[in-house]
Amino acid sequence: MIRTIQYKNNAVRIIDQTKLPQKLVYKDCRSLRTLWLAIRRLEVRGAPALGAAAAFGVLMGTQDFKGEDRKLFIRSLNKVCDYLATSRPTAVNLFHSLEAMRMMPWLYPSASVAGLKGAIRKKAFEIYETDRTVCRAMGDHGAKLIRNGDRLMTICNAGALATVDYGTALGVFYSAQKRNKRFEVFACETRPLLQGARLTAWELTHARINTTLITDNMAAVVMRDKGIRAVFTGADRIAANGDAANKIGTYGLAVLAKHHGIPFYVVAPRTTFDLSILKGSDIPIEERDPQEVRQLAGRPVAPKTVSVFNPAFDVTPHDLITAFVTERGIIKKPFKKTIKQIFS
Ligand code: MRU
């Protein structure tokens, strides 16, 4: 599988996803500012990939610290974490990685600066490798939900490009393909930034998965007339009661799925659950530049001055979700109880 993110020669190497599907371009982020901008501009994106990017960002931002003063090092570590935390607010994986890094001095109270640097390096690669195994485990659990002949739907990009190298929702498709299941995927284009059209359609066609691209407003008719059997999406943050934030448009798909009696599955690792948040309305939702809506692929499609509402995510209430597919298995209702049981 393609590697979305790597750490090479003291730089965070990413695939610049704003260039896809036209060009596959790797970009080395050699400064924290470059990485921060790459995250903000969605050059690297998707909740688990942001978790890995944050971990490597802390590694990059702390390795050059000069001197032996532990207190000064901890101050510098926290500064790096505070800065990366301002890049994007919704995907909790990013914050979980930063939290893990901030914990290092507490876990190694007598470590020298060199020791702490070593611990940070080890943790960053652990976060990276864990994502790879966890995505494959989710894929294996989720593949059991797919039957021969199924027509499935997805939104945004929850694939290799949104993780280190395999995907959450699309990982389920890859695992089903490995088991020789025959199925088709309808990918919603995902306005305004077209992650479905640019990234999911690119990834799935490369993987030789039978894929049909639709615009978002075709989802209802496709569900009704094409016999969609299940919807699989990723998530950016899931509250303790099972309310799940994901790409804008996910909530609409869940409402439509309910109306048509179609199961709606959210595929996400432990690191996407935020048990400190009790319900979806407490999840911070990123609002992005109005230009993203006034334009389409860089071209104006609306009056320059028209008001715009541009939330990057929405929250799907837990009652519209059939089950969560996680690395520990499939979590069914009642979510408040089952999420707690499986993760605490
Ligand atoms: O704004 P993006 O492209 O970062 O949004 C990504 C999504 O909403 C994904 O569905 C989510 O992060 C899950 S990725 C495995």
Side-chain angles (χ1 to χ4, degrees):
M1 301 292 294
I2 199 161
R3 292 270 167 121
T4 298
I5 183 157
Q6 297 169 78
Y7 193 75
K8 282 216 155 116
N9 307 324
N10 300 326
V12 184
R13 177 170 293 177
I14 56 163
I15 291 178
D16 180 351
Q17 300 187 28
T18 60
K19 302 275 191 299
L20 284 170
Q22 285 86 357
K23 283 189 231 154
L24 178 61
V25 178
Y26 289 86
K27 173 170 176 169
D28 284 339
C29 301
R30 297 192 176 281
S31 71
L32 273 186
R33 178 71 186 156
T34 317
L35 179 64
W36 188 95
L37 283 171
I39 294 173
R40 178 58 74 97
R41 292 175 179 151
L42 273 56
E43 291 169 8
V44 60
R45 45 144 303 278
L50 293 180
F56 283 151
V58 175
L59 171 60
M60 180 174 68
T62 52
Q63 295 304 292
D64 286 343
F65 178 87
K66 301 270 182 297
E68 285 306 318
D69 190 322
R70 207 182 124 95
K71 267 198 189 138
L72 285 182
F73 179 79
I74 295 173
R75 202 179 293 165
S76 156
L77 165 65
N78 285 330
K79 220 172 129 192
V80 169
C81 292
D82 290 346
Y83 179 58
L84 288 173
T86 62
S87 56
R88 290 190 79 191
T90 304
V92 74
N93 310 55
L94 183 144
F95 298 93
H96 280 153
S97 289
L98 297 179
E99 235 17 75
M101 292 307 192
R102 286 188 212 267
M103 285 300 290
M104 288 299 128
W106 303 101
L107 287 176
Y108 302 98
S110 48
S112 62
V113 167
L116 287 178
K117 283 184 184 177
I120 286 170
R121 175 176 289 272
K122 193 161 164 250
K123 188 73 195 171
F125 279 95
E126 187 186 303
I127 288 170
Y128 175 81
E129 286 302 334
T130 303
D131 181 71
R132 301 188 62 221
T133 42
V134 153
C135 282
R136 283 159 179 81
M138 286 188 292
D140 291 347
H141 290 300
K144 294 179 198 138
L145 300 167
I146 296 181
R147 301 187 211 131
N148 269 330
D150 273 355
R151 285 181 165 170
L152 310 166
M153 188 175 279
T154 190
I155 185 168
C156 193
N157 172 266
L161 290 165
T163 59
V164 167
D165 71 349
Y166 195 72
T168 59
L170 302 195
V172 169
F173 303 158
Y174 296 138
S175 293
Q177 186 188 40
K178 273 194 220 150
R179 286 163 181 67
N180 295 321
K181 296 201 180 183
R182 276 180 299 99
F183 60 94
E184 280 177 57
V185 177
F186 284 80
C188 298
E189 70 169 350
T190 320
R191 264 289 273 159
L193 294 180
L194 305 177
Q195 287 92 331
R198 294 187 301 106
L199 310 176
T200 293
W202 182 81
E203 242 194 87
L204 292 183
T205 47
H206 270 260
R208 296 178 189 281
I209 288 178
N210 187 343
T211 305
T212 303
L213 178 64
I214 57 170
T215 62
D216 301 327
N217 50 1
M218 294 172 188
V221 90
V222 169
M223 282 186 187
R224 192 190 60 192
D225 296 350
K226 299 278 183 195
I228 295 297
R229 233 269 308 144
V231 180
F232 287 87
T233 77
D236 284 81
R237 194 186 291 233
I238 302 164
N241 70 348
D243 293 347
N246 191 48
K247 180 50 56 195
I248 189 74
T250 305
Y251 168 43
L253 277 194
V255 171
L256 291 174
K258 176 102 179 168
H259 178 79
H260 293 96
I262 297 169
F264 191 92
Y265 299 112
V266 175
V267 189
R270 166 69 181 97
T271 44
T272 302
F273 286 79
D274 184 352
L275 302 188
S276 74
I277 281 190
L278 300 182
K279 55 184 190 318
S281 52
D282 295 333
I283 297 176
I285 299 292
E286 175 183 12
E287 279 196 38
R288 293 185 60 86
D289 187 343
Q291 285 301 85
E292 292 178 354
V293 175
R294 292 192 199 108
Q295 300 184 341
L296 180 57
R299 285 193 174 191
V301 289
K304 272 189 193 137
T305 54
V306 70
S307 298
V308 159
F309 177 48
N310 186 19
F313 302 96
D314 57 26
V315 174
T316 299
H318 58 90
D319 54 307
L320 297 180
I321 297 169
T322 307
F324 291 98
V325 180
T326 75
E327 66 269 40
R328 307 240 177 115
I330 294 172
I331 306 184
K332 295 194 181 139
K333 289 174 181 169
F335 293 134
K336 221 178 191 171
K337 193 167 146 211
T338 50
I339 289 173
K340 200 164 163 194
Q341 266 170 1
I342 202 154
F343 286 137
S344 57

